[in-house]
Amino acid sequence: MPDIHSELDVLRHSTAHVMADAVLSLFPGAKIAIGPSIEDGFYYDFDLPRNLTPDDLEIIEEKMRSIIAGNYDFEKKVVSRQEAKKLFKDQPYKEELIDDLPADEEILIYIHNGFTDLCRGPHLANTSMINPKAFKLISVAGAYWRGDEKRTMLQRIYGTAWNTPEELRAYLEKRKEIERRDHRRLGKELDLFSTHEEAGAGLIYWHPKGARIRHIIEDFWKTEHFKNGYELLYTPHIGKAWLWETSGHLGFYQENMYAPMQIDNMDYYIKPMNCPFHILIYKTDLRSYRELPLRWAELGTVYRYERSGVLHGLLRVRGFTQDDAHIICTPEQVEEEIVRVLKFSLYMWQTFGFPEVKAYLATKPEHSVGMEEDWEKATSSLKAAIEAERLPYVLDEGGGAFYGPKIDLKVKDALGREWQMSTIQFDFNEPERFDMRFTDSDGREKRPYMIHRALLGSIERFFGVLIEHYGGAFPVWLAPVQAIVIPVALPFTDYAGEVRDILHAAGIRVDADLSDERMNAKIRKAQQQKIPYMLIVGESEQDARTVSIRTRTGEKINDLALDGCIEFVKQKTAEKTLI
Ligand SMILES: [Zn+2]
Ligand SMILES: [Zn+2]
C-alpha cells in the first residue's frame, strides 16, 4: 500500500466510514467488511439481512448527511489486540482481519459518532469537512469476501465524493457518457458482436458488421506492415509440450494456459503466445547477418486463462488475436529498429484517431535473465527512441519483465481515459532457450536480439476501445455501412434500390431501407445505427438521377449526381475523416 494519500483519497475514505456508520444505524445487525477509497470514489462491503435497492441508497445518503451535520471528530486510538478483539466481537470480518495482523503490528482504530472502525487512516479531522452536496452513492454490487469465490458474497456499495457540488456534477455527467458509450451496450445496439456464456465465457462472436470493421482494420494493418518492411506469418494454434517447455511458458506461465489435450499419447497445448512458432521458422535455416533484421508479423489468435470474475466484454477475454510481430536483429541494428517500431505505432494511433500517446518505460527488475550489457543496450535504445519521438514518458524503474525491458504505450480516448495498448518488449530469454543464432560479418556465430511487439495489442480489446472512443459513430473509412439509401415515399423504392446497386458496384458499403415504414422512422433508425450518410431520394432526385445527402451530424448536400456521390464517399474514406 502506498503511503501517499491524496486529499481526495482521504475525503473519500472518510466518507466511506460515514456510510458504514449510516448503514449500521439503519441495519443494526449488519456486518461490516472493508471500505477503501478507489479511483473516483470509495466503497464499503457489507453483510446485510436483505438485498439493497436503489431506494435504500437514498435513505443511506440522507442518514449520512445527518451524520456529517453532527460535526463529529474522527478520533484515532491505539488499542491492544485484546481490546480490538473485544471491540469487534460482533464483527466477524473485522475479527478475521485482526487475526491476520502480524503479532508486532500496532492496531489502530478510528471513532466518530460512536462508530468504530479498524483502520490505519488517514481521515479528515471532522465529519463536517465532507461536503453534504458533493457525495453520492452510485450502485450496489456483489463482492466476495476477500475476493474469494468460496467465501461469503457481500454487498458492495460504491460511492463518490468530491470537494464541490460542481465537481460531483461533472463526474456524474462523465459517468453517464461512459455508460452511453459502453462497448457492450453499443455492441448490441449496433449488432457488432456477442458473447455466449452457455458456449464459453470470454470468447467473442463477431457479427457481420463487427466482422466488416475487423476486416478493414486487418486489411489496413497488413498493408501498412508490408509498407514498413514486415513479412506476414501464419502459424498453428497448438503445439507439443516440448515447445512450451523449451520456451519456458510451462515453467512460469502455466496457470494462464489451458490444460493439454492428448494426441498420439502426447500432450499438446493451445497457444498462449505466438513467439515459439516464429522462432521455429527462424530456425529452419542458418541465418546470416545479411538477412537481418527480420520483421515477422502475425495476427495470431491465442488463448489465455482469465478468472471468470475479471472477464469484461471485449476488454478482458479468454481468446484474442494479437497483432503480433517479432523483430530479430543484430545488436547494432536494435536502436534503429526500436525507432521504426515507435514511429509505426504512433502512425497507427494517429490514423485510428488517437493523437495523444504516452510512453511507459519499464527497466530491469531485481530478478532477471540475460547479460548486464544487453540490458543496458536495450534500455538505452528504448529511451533514445522515446526521446527522438519527443514522447512524454514515465520511467518505471525495475518494472520490466525478467526477460527484458519494454515500452508500453497508453493512448487517451475521447473521454480522456488512458488505455494501455502497444507493447515493445525485449526478450533475452527465448533466443537463449531456443539457441537462436546468426553468423556475423566476422564469421562468428552470435545470438540475435529478439523484440516482441504488438501495436494495437489485441484486435478484440482494440475494437472495444475503438467503439467507446467513437461512441459507435465510426469514421467513414471504418463504418460497416457507410451510406443508406432512403426513399421519401413508396413510389421511389425502385430508384432507391437502383442507387444502392450502383454504389455497391462502385465499392461503397451501402444499404437501402426499402421497407414500408415512413421516411422519418427510417431516418431515425439510420441515426441510431450511426450510419455516416443517408442518401435521400424523391421525385426530383429520381428525375435528375441524383441523391440528397444528409450526414449523421446533420449537414445536407442536395442533388448530387450519382458519380459525384460515389466520389464524395470515396474521398472521405481515403481521407479517413470522421464524417
Ligand atoms: Zn479508515
Ligand atoms: Zn512474442
Side-chain angles (χ1 to χ4, degrees):
M1 272 297 226
D3 256 0
I4 308 141
H5 299 272
S6 78
E7 274 175 48
L8 271 175
D9 283 336
V10 174
L11 166 70
R12 286 163 182 167
H13 175 62
S14 304
T15 313
H17 274 238
V18 171
M19 176 169 79
D21 181 7
V23 170
L24 263 187
S25 71
L26 292 166
F27 299 88
K31 307 293 175 217
I32 57 174
I34 54 161
S37 72
I38 52 172
E39 200 187 349
D40 293 336
F42 60 87
Y43 68 76
Y44 212 115
D45 288 347
F46 301 97
D47 194 345
L48 296 170
R50 64 165 173 86
N51 283 337
L52 294 173
T53 65
D55 289 345
D56 289 321
L57 294 188
E58 274 179 42
I59 295 165
I60 297 167
E61 276 179 9
E62 213 36 63
K63 183 78 201 159
M64 287 170 71
R65 272 188 268 276
S66 77
I67 295 167
I68 289 167
N71 291 326
Y72 302 105
D73 282 340
F74 286 97
E75 200 186 325
K76 175 174 156 181
K77 267 192 191 161
V78 180
V79 293
S80 69
R81 186 166 294 254
Q82 221 175 359
E83 286 171 297
K85 294 275 278 189
K86 205 171 148 198
L87 270 169
F88 294 105
K89 64 178 187 333
D90 297 326
Q91 290 293 345
Y93 301 104
K94 296 292 180 190
E95 271 193 292
E96 190 178 324
L97 293 175
I98 294 167
D99 289 339
D100 285 355
L101 290 175
D104 55 347
E105 186 149 323
E106 191 181 56
I107 300 178
L108 289 177
I109 57 166
Y110 277 83
I111 308 161
H112 78 273
N113 185 30
F115 170 83
T116 306
D117 204 351
L118 176 78
C119 186
R120 300 207 57 80
H123 302 87
L124 300 172
N126 188 283
T127 56
S128 65
M129 294 163 80
I130 300 169
N131 187 326
K133 290 188 177 131
F135 79 87
K136 184 159 181 58
L137 304 188
I138 305 248
S139 60
V140 186
Y144 292 106
W145 167 235
R146 304 203 130 172
D148 182 346
E149 283 133 77
K150 292 180 200 84
R151 308 291 305 267
T152 317
M153 169 79 91
L154 304 171
Q155 295 190 69
R156 174 171 296 176
I157 306 180
Y158 284 100
T160 189
W162 299 82
N163 288 316
T164 67
E166 293 71 37
E167 282 172 12
L168 173 66
R169 237 191 324 273
Y171 169 72
L172 293 176
E173 195 40 58
K174 185 173 160 183
R175 260 184 72 88
K176 245 191 256 157
E177 187 56 36
I178 289 173
E179 268 165 38
R180 269 195 288 272
R181 288 174 185 243
D182 189 312
H183 72 279
R184 291 166 300 178
R185 170 189 179 150
L186 286 170
K188 223 175 263 162
E189 280 173 21
L190 303 176
D191 196 15
L192 301 172
F193 72 93
S194 58
T195 54
H196 299 265
E197 198 74 28
E198 71 279 19
L203 302 167
I204 305 301
Y205 291 68
W206 296 73
H207 295 204
K209 284 180 184 145
R212 180 60 84 118
I213 300 176
R214 175 170 174 163
H215 168 74
I216 298 162
I217 294 168
E218 292 189 354
D219 211 31
F220 173 73
W221 185 92
K222 287 178 188 171
T223 308
E224 293 303 318
H225 275 73
F226 286 133
K227 275 195 211 162
N228 276 277
Y230 286 75
E231 293 297 335
L232 293 188
L233 305 180
Y234 294 95
T235 63
H237 287 226
I238 57 173
K240 277 190 197 171
W242 166 82
L243 193 63
W244 309 108
E245 278 155 12
T246 309
S247 71
H249 287 105
L250 279 180
F252 60 79
Y253 201 71
Q254 195 171 13
E255 73 265 29
N256 295 92
M257 293 171 68
Y258 289 97
M261 59 194 109
Q262 273 76 44
I263 302 172
D264 295 339
N265 290 319
M266 270 174 283
D267 280 353
Y268 279 70
Y269 287 86
I270 192 156
K271 66 176 170 183
M273 310 257 178
N274 305 298
C275 349
F277 298 89
H278 292 196
I279 294 172
L280 290 192
I281 297 179
Y282 179 83
K283 292 193 60 156
T284 55
D285 207 349
L286 295 170
R287 303 290 176 178
S288 146
Y289 70 97
R290 287 194 193 87
E291 291 172 72
L292 305 183
L294 290 169
R295 304 183 196 101
W296 286 348
E298 177 177 12
L299 289 165
T301 303
V302 298
Y303 291 84
R304 296 180 186 174
Y305 175 72
E306 297 269 10
R307 291 157 55 113
S308 63
V310 301
L311 298 174
H312 181 87
L314 292 165
L315 300 180
R316 197 90 178 255
V317 292
R318 284 178 171 166
F320 56 94
T321 302
Q322 286 185 302
D323 71 317
D324 206 0
H326 294 98
I327 294 161
I328 303 167
C329 65
T330 69
E332 295 74 41
Q333 292 166 335
V334 81
E335 190 152 333
E336 195 196 321
E337 287 306 308
I338 298 292
V339 171
R340 287 180 71 123
V341 175
L342 205 53
K343 272 195 202 309
F344 191 8
S345 317
L346 294 176
Y347 167 73
M348 293 291 267
W349 289 117
Q350 186 80 38
T351 310
F352 282 108
F354 299 82
E356 268 190 80
V357 180
K358 196 162 158 192
Y360 289 76
L361 173 60
T363 63
K364 192 171 173 221
E366 207 175 319
H367 301 287
S368 61
V369 299
M371 289 188 296
E372 188 59 41
E373 138 194 16
D374 287 335
W375 274 87
E376 268 166 34
K377 185 159 184 57
T379 309
S380 73
S381 62
L382 290 173
K383 204 167 174 177
I386 293 173
E387 280 163 5
E389 291 303 311
R390 293 202 173 87
L391 268 187
Y393 77 100
V394 173
L395 186 64
D396 181 6
E397 200 78 66
F402 73 88
Y403 47 85
K406 66 166 176 176
I407 297 176
D408 284 332
L409 296 183
K410 290 192 185 177
V411 305
K412 211 176 233 185
D413 74 5
L415 296 181
R417 296 174 297 177
E418 271 195 347
W419 301 90
Q420 201 239 291
M421 307 302 280
S422 316
T423 301
I424 306 168
Q425 167 79 61
F426 271 89
D427 190 340
F428 299 128
N429 188 43
E430 289 189 75
E432 195 70 34
R433 286 175 163 267
F434 280 97
D435 192 22
M436 293 166 76
R437 301 160 187 228
F438 73 99
T439 309
D440 208 348
S441 52
D442 58 8
R444 288 170 45 195
E445 287 209 318
K446 292 181 185 165
R447 203 62 87 219
Y449 272 17
M450 179 159 120
I451 300 153
H452 315 257
R453 58 105 277 209
L455 300 188
L456 305 177
S458 86
I459 300 292
E460 285 75 7
R461 189 161 175 279
F462 171 65
F463 189 40
V465 172
L466 198 69
I467 293 169
E468 300 204 356
H469 178 56
Y470 287 114
F474 298 104
V476 182
W477 75 288
L478 292 171
V481 178
Q482 298 176 304
I484 182 159
V485 190
I486 297 176
V488 301
L490 271 181
F492 314 106
T493 304
D494 285 352
Y495 177 60
E498 198 191 327
V499 170
R500 175 198 56 200
D501 294 346
I502 291 170
L503 265 61
H504 181 260
I508 286 167
R509 299 190 290 277
V510 62
D511 226 334
D513 190 341
L514 307 182
S515 67
D516 45 18
E517 275 179 278
R518 300 165 72 91
M519 180 179 71
N520 283 344
K522 292 179 182 180
I523 288 178
R524 218 168 21 248
K525 218 191 228 159
Q527 288 280 22
Q528 274 160 3
Q529 289 298 302
K530 304 179 196 290
I531 298 169
Y533 306 120
M534 286 165 270
L535 310 178
I536 312 293
V537 296
E539 190 162 11
S540 72
E541 284 88 358
Q542 178 173 287
D543 289 347
R545 296 191 63 77
T546 60
V547 296
S548 290
I549 300 182
R550 222 174 202 242
T551 72
R552 73 179 161 214
T553 47
E555 283 106 306
K556 289 180 187 169
I557 306 170
N558 287 334
D559 304 317
L560 202 58
L562 295 187
D563 282 350
C565 176
I566 291 166
E567 195 51 42
F568 174 80
V569 179
K570 285 197 163 173
Q571 174 91 22
K572 296 292 185 183
T573 306
E575 286 170 2
K576 299 192 165 58
T577 49
L578 199 50
I579 192 82

